[in-house]
Amino acid sequence: MGEKYKRLSYYYLCIIFKLYNHQRLELMKKTRLTLKDVANQLGVSTATISNAFNRPDQLSKKKRIEILEQCKRIGFEGPNKAAQILRKGHSNIIGIVLSDNIDYIISDPVASTFMKGATEVLREHKKHTLLYSGDSENIGDIADFVDGFICYGAPINQALVSELANQLKPVVTVDFDIENIPSINVDNETACFEIAKSTLKESDQVAILGLRLIDSKSTCRIYDSPLLDFEHSISHRRLDGYIAAAKTVGISIEGDRIWTIAKNTSKYASQAANEALTSIPRPDVILCMSDLIALEVLKLAKDKGIKVPEELRITGFDGIDEALRTRPSLTTICQANAEKGKAAAETLLLGLTTSRLVSYEMKIGEST
Amino acid sequence: MGEKYKRLSYYYLCIIFKLYNHQRLELMKKTRLTLKDVANQLGVSTATISNAFNRPDQLSKKKRIEILEQCKRIGFEGPNKAAQILRKGHSNIIGIVLSDNIDYIISDPVASTFMKGATEVLREHKKHTLLYSGDSENIGDIADFVDGFICYGAPINQALVSELANQLKPVVTVDFDIENIPSINVDNETACFEIAKSTLKESDQVAILGLRLIDSKSTCRIYDSPLLDFEHSISHRRLDGYIAAAKTVGISIEGDRIWTIAKNTSKYASQAANEALTSIPRPDVILCMSDLIALEVLKLAKDKGIKVPEELRITGFDGIDEALRTRPSLTTICQANAEKGKAAAETLLLGLTTSRLVSYEMKIGEST
DNA sequence: CTGTTAGCGCTTTCAC
DNA sequence: GTGAAAGCGCTAACAG
């Protein structure tokens, strides 16, 4: 009964809201001056006003300044941008397509740093940034008015990939590839080879905490499950690197020593950290595919009184601020995330067609 | 000579880029189907196609489905969004105006969490999120096509405030106020009173590390400098809370025990942390206006071998994940940042006109 | 250097 | 239930 009432009142609220909103919009329409209004008031043609704002070479300096001043006086801010978008066919808006929800991705420090680099370049070029979820149904919602796409990570809705490939605006991908489209990547395999190589010793018990290695929504060991290939191939490149390095010191890492995590969040990471640390034999080394995971392992080890690095060595991946700030500091691969963002934005804005590999740096911390 | 050559080639690059871009845009125009094309092909009027997509009640179910199918077949994705924006007068885009550069703000965990909440609600309502810098010259760049603004923190370019007040689209502010415009706030003063009250003892030496308390670009003590009032009044409310609480236990905190930091970043925070910890008398308690600052103090204390909380108690503000994850964990005020984001988005989308105070929660950690 | 005018692609009355 | 036509506000080609 109460539930029903709630629903009903919500329903009415929505109607009222819509009516109200409609009125509000009507009001707006009435009050914003148009080029035509101004042209009438100043006694010149609309073209002249338009030129005063957009093409200084089309009229005398004197007249231009005069017009601009008059416009300011009567409160005309310039040509309507919505109309400009339609007419000119571009908007100065760049869509950044994220791999997942905006709300998930924005709290991820790696993604944030990427965004930082990308938006910095976009801002220099006077472009606006529109965030777009990788779990959206389609790209058509914004494809008509953005000037291009930066696609950060394979979107969890795979359909978006082919939509991006089939539409006409320029696209740059990051951390994954679409045929014939420029991309920005890091050499994950080599990086992971290096960090594992520098950490592992012959007699080590090793565990790997990976990201989306198999198609599972929960944290678990991968055993011999089929690997999830398309979406998160960077995880597999990393895995390849770890395993290859282990092989060089005579260790072989089996599927029961490899965990997969569905999302790069503390919650999932702490589950995996707990499983790994309470498994027998207890690992001497835990190779983590993200700093966030490594930090959870570190925290848990502290809580359990396991000494790092004496009894347990931990490596991360990403190089987020917290990994450097925490004590003991983390051994990790510092991806130039901001650089990736910059590279992506530059590639898009300059219309480059070549892909780029961005450098990384291994930081040896106190955790190994 | 080399420099000149560089410049020149950059210049040419730009021209080539522009030509290329222009061509690219031309190409696009040609290839996207329009309502008219489709109407011709299907032998109906443009209105009917439009109705099939937007107003199901205007034509028979059968015809509608038929048209939609045909459209899919010939690859027509639906009416052009840019034209819709102009015609309908709204775009489903909400501008989020940040207090500073996008690139600065996005790496701030507090802001990220806010964004998480806000974008979640926007997504539910099928709205898109456009990020906008608080250091932009004006709002007019996007005011014509966004449906409204969420303004997170007082923009560092104050001019934006009056522009927002004077334009016609709905606005909601967060963490600051504009007359007659609904806002979302936290009771900073009470929160800081509580945390200080529960931490301070009669004989304590106290230091405060604040944010933008005075108009200074560097980290320094405030002494008796005039307080920066408009922009960052939340900082002053927090200060008021601390000082009031101190008074109740008989402590008076002077300007030479209060530091100000220009931006909430590790870099600035670590400067202040260092100054405070090396000052004489060394503080027993450091009250920090953000968790980021508190974490830097914590790190430095560890490096210096100062025991927390025995020799030094530290409080933060915000409740970011890292503050809970770090060891010892931080005593702090958990702002419901995601809630703030949600509240802001809801207030905007429902056209509410009342301001809202969002709750907070004090978390006693191991640092006090 | 300035003004006239034809659309950009769409939605929405208004006749039929 | 359907189609013709006006016009959202602007820009750019063109004529003067």
Side-chain angles (χ1 to χ4, degrees):
Chain A
M1 198 59 177
E3 188 54 32
K4 197 168 179 183
Y5 172 72
K6 257 191 202 163
R7 282 241 177 97
L8 206 65
S9 59
Y10 180 70
Y11 177 71
Y12 284 126
L13 194 68
C14 282
I15 293 185
I16 291 169
F17 158 57
K18 274 188 185 159
L19 286 172
Y20 169 71
N21 228 6
H22 186 256
Q23 249 186 321
R24 232 178 10 172
L25 290 173
E26 284 304 309
L27 204 72
M28 278 169 216
K29 264 185 218 161
K30 296 243 165 59
T31 5
R32 168 80 155 94
L33 287 169
T34 71
L35 222 52
K36 208 169 159 189
D37 299 332
V38 178
N40 286 340
Q41 276 196 47
L42 302 196
V44 291
S45 82
T46 59
T48 306
I49 312 281
S50 171
N51 285 333
F53 279 96
N54 305 313
R55 313 203 313 189
D57 54 313
Q58 297 295 300
L59 71 177
S60 68
K61 224 158 231 170
K62 197 184 143 197
K63 187 143 203 166
R64 190 176 115 89
I65 292 177
E66 197 186 307
I67 288 179
L68 258 33
E69 263 171 10
Q70 289 296 318
C71 286
K72 203 164 204 175
R73 201 178 50 73
I74 62 178
F76 178 68
E77 311 267 353
N80 181 298
K81 296 292 185 284
Q84 279 187 324
I85 295 174
L86 175 58
R87 182 58 232 243
K88 290 189 170 175
H90 66 257
S91 60
N92 292 331
I93 304 174
I94 301 296
I96 301 198
V97 181
L98 303 163
S99 59
D100 202 340
N101 292 343
I102 298 180
D103 35 311
Y104 157 57
I105 212 79
I106 216 167
S107 10
D108 185 77
V110 188
S112 294
T113 313
F114 171 85
M115 291 289 299
K116 181 174 159 145
T119 55
E120 197 180 313
V121 171
L122 292 180
R123 197 164 59 100
E124 275 164 20
H125 288 251
K126 309 252 179 216
K127 302 294 179 192
H128 303 300
T129 304
L130 182 82
L131 263 28
Y132 204 72
S133 293
D135 68 345
S136 305
E137 277 170 31
N138 56 59
I139 220 71
D141 236 26
I142 62 167
D144 285 326
F145 62 83
V146 300
D147 294 346
F149 296 93
I150 293 174
C151 195
Y152 180 65
I156 62 168
N157 177 8
Q158 284 196 30
L160 296 191
V161 173
S162 57
E163 285 194 26
L164 280 168
N166 291 327
Q167 53 82 57
L168 303 150
K169 306 284 172 88
V171 181
V172 174
T173 64
V174 180
D175 282 347
F176 79 111
D177 291 282
I178 301 179
E179 211 175 347
N180 294 324
I181 285 180
S183 72
I184 311 294
N185 275 286
V186 158
D187 185 350
N188 287 285
E189 184 166 348
T190 309
C192 282
F193 181 90
E194 286 179 22
I195 198 168
K197 175 81 182 176
S198 86
T199 302
L200 297 176
K201 290 181 214 143
E202 200 187 334
S203 55
D204 280 335
Q205 285 294 340
V206 184
I208 294 176
L209 303 191
L211 280 166
R212 292 201 118 223
L213 289 166
I214 62 170
D215 188 18
S216 162
K217 299 212 163 173
S218 57
T219 301
C220 60
R221 308 187 197 202
I222 67 171
Y223 295 107
D224 52 359
S225 310
L227 297 182
L228 186 66
D229 213 85
F230 168 72
E231 286 197 76
H232 283 260
S233 47
I234 46 168
S235 290
H236 293 110
R237 295 298 74 70
R238 292 182 190 176
L239 190 57
D240 291 344
Y242 289 149
I243 289 176
K247 199 171 270 174
T248 66
V249 293
I251 305 174
S252 113
I253 306 172
E254 305 300 331
D256 64 337
R257 304 271 77 198
I258 301 174
W259 276 263
T260 182
I261 290 174
K263 280 191 181 190
N264 188 32
T265 65
S266 320
K267 191 186 125 199
Y268 288 107
S270 95
Q271 292 169 354
N274 191 54
E275 279 198 30
L277 278 183
T278 56
S279 72
I280 293 178
R282 201 180 78 196
D284 305 308
V285 178
I286 301 186
L287 304 171
C288 307
M289 287 198 193
S290 81
D291 284 350
L292 211 68
I293 303 174
L295 287 168
E296 285 299 325
V297 175
L298 198 58
K299 186 183 93 175
L300 198 64
K302 241 186 257 186
D303 290 350
K304 285 184 179 298
I306 301 172
K307 281 185 194 141
V308 175
E310 296 81 359
E311 300 175 287
L312 173 68
R313 276 160 286 144
I314 305 168
T315 69
F317 198 105
D318 287 336
I320 64 176
D321 285 347
E322 186 177 348
L324 311 174
R325 190 156 54 215
T326 202
R327 292 289 176 274
S329 63
L330 215 54
T331 291
T332 191
I333 297 291
C334 293
Q335 294 199 61
N337 282 307
E339 283 312 310
K340 273 161 96 173
K342 282 187 191 176
E346 276 161 8
T347 300
L348 185 73
L349 295 179
L350 295 176
L352 308 180
T353 53
T354 50
S355 295
R356 225 155 111 185
L357 219 49
V358 167
S359 69
Y360 60 86
E361 195 191 337
M362 182 164 67
K363 271 243 163 72
I364 304 290
E366 301 151 359
S367 70
T368 56
Chain B
M1 198 58 177
E3 188 54 32
K4 198 166 176 182
Y5 172 73
K6 257 191 201 165
R7 281 239 179 98
L8 206 65
S9 61
Y10 181 70
Y11 177 72
Y12 283 125
L13 194 68
C14 282
I15 291 185
I16 291 169
F17 160 57
K18 274 187 187 161
L19 284 172
Y20 169 71
N21 228 7
H22 186 255
Q23 248 186 322
R24 231 175 14 170
L25 290 172
E26 284 303 309
L27 204 73
M28 278 169 213
K29 264 184 218 160
K30 296 243 167 56
T31 4
R32 169 80 156 93
L33 288 170
T34 72
L35 221 54
K36 207 170 159 188
D37 299 332
V38 179
N40 286 339
Q41 276 196 46
L42 302 196
V44 290
S45 82
T46 59
T48 306
I49 312 282
S50 172
N51 284 333
F53 279 96
N54 305 311
R55 313 200 314 187
D57 53 313
Q58 298 294 302
L59 71 178
S60 67
K61 222 158 231 163
K62 195 183 147 199
K63 187 143 204 170
R64 191 176 114 88
I65 291 176
E66 197 186 308
I67 288 180
L68 258 32
E69 263 172 7
Q70 289 296 318
C71 286
K72 202 163 204 174
R73 200 179 49 74
I74 61 178
F76 178 68
E77 312 267 353
N80 181 298
K81 295 294 185 285
Q84 279 187 325
I85 295 174
L86 176 59
R87 181 59 231 243
K88 290 189 170 177
H90 66 258
S91 60
N92 291 331
I93 304 175
I94 301 296
I96 301 198
V97 181
L98 303 163
S99 59
D100 202 340
N101 292 344
I102 298 179
D103 34 312
Y104 157 58
I105 213 78
I106 217 166
S107 11
D108 185 75
V110 187
S112 295
T113 313
F114 171 86
M115 292 288 301
K116 181 174 160 147
T119 54
E120 197 180 314
V121 171
L122 293 180
R123 197 164 59 99
E124 276 165 19
H125 288 251
K126 309 251 181 218
K127 302 293 178 190
H128 303 301
T129 304
L130 182 81
L131 263 26
Y132 204 72
S133 293
D135 68 344
S136 306
E137 277 170 31
N138 56 59
I139 219 73
D141 236 28
I142 61 166
D144 285 326
F145 62 81
V146 300
D147 293 346
F149 296 94
I150 293 174
C151 195
Y152 179 65
I156 62 168
N157 177 10
Q158 284 197 29
L160 296 190
V161 173
S162 56
E163 285 193 27
L164 281 168
N166 291 325
Q167 55 82 56
L168 304 148
K169 306 283 173 86
V171 180
V172 175
T173 64
V174 180
D175 282 348
F176 79 112
D177 291 283
I178 300 180
E179 212 175 346
N180 294 325
I181 285 180
S183 72
I184 311 294
N185 275 284
V186 158
D187 185 348
N188 288 283
E189 185 167 348
T190 309
C192 283
F193 181 90
E194 286 179 21
I195 198 168
K197 175 81 181 175
S198 86
T199 303
L200 297 177
K201 290 179 214 146
E202 200 187 333
S203 55
D204 281 336
Q205 285 295 341
V206 184
I208 295 176
L209 303 191
L211 280 165
R212 292 202 120 223
L213 289 166
I214 62 171
D215 188 17
S216 162
K217 298 213 162 171
S218 56
T219 301
C220 60
R221 307 188 198 200
I222 68 170
Y223 296 108
D224 52 358
S225 311
L227 298 181
L228 186 67
D229 212 85
F230 168 73
E231 285 198 78
H232 283 259
S233 48
I234 46 168
S235 291
H236 292 111
R237 296 297 75 71
R238 292 182 190 176
L239 190 57
D240 292 344
Y242 289 149
I243 289 177
K247 199 172 270 175
T248 66
V249 293
I251 304 173
S252 114
I253 306 172
E254 304 300 331
D256 64 335
R257 303 270 79 197
I258 302 174
W259 276 263
T260 183
I261 290 174
K263 280 189 180 192
N264 189 32
T265 64
S266 319
K267 190 185 126 202
Y268 288 107
S270 96
Q271 292 168 355
N274 192 54
E275 280 197 28
L277 278 183
T278 56
S279 73
I280 294 179
R282 202 179 78 196
D284 306 308
V285 178
I286 300 185
L287 304 171
C288 306
M289 288 199 192
S290 80
D291 284 350
L292 212 67
I293 304 175
L295 287 168
E296 284 300 325
V297 175
L298 199 58
K299 185 183 95 179
L300 197 65
K302 240 184 259 185
D303 290 350
K304 286 183 178 298
I306 301 172
K307 280 183 195 143
V308 176
E310 296 82 357
E311 300 176 284
L312 173 69
R313 276 160 285 142
I314 304 168
T315 69
F317 198 106
D318 287 335
I320 63 176
D321 284 348
E322 187 178 349
L324 311 173
R325 191 154 54 215
T326 201
R327 291 289 176 273
S329 64
L330 214 53
T331 292
T332 192
I333 298 291
C334 294
Q335 292 199 63
N337 282 306
E339 283 312 311
K340 272 161 95 174
K342 281 187 190 173
E346 276 163 7
T347 301
L348 185 73
L349 295 178
L350 295 176
L352 308 181
T353 52
T354 52
S355 294
R356 225 154 111 185
L357 219 50
V358 167
S359 69
Y360 59 86
E361 195 191 337
M362 183 164 67
K363 272 246 164 71
I364 304 289
E366 300 151 359
S367 70
T368 57

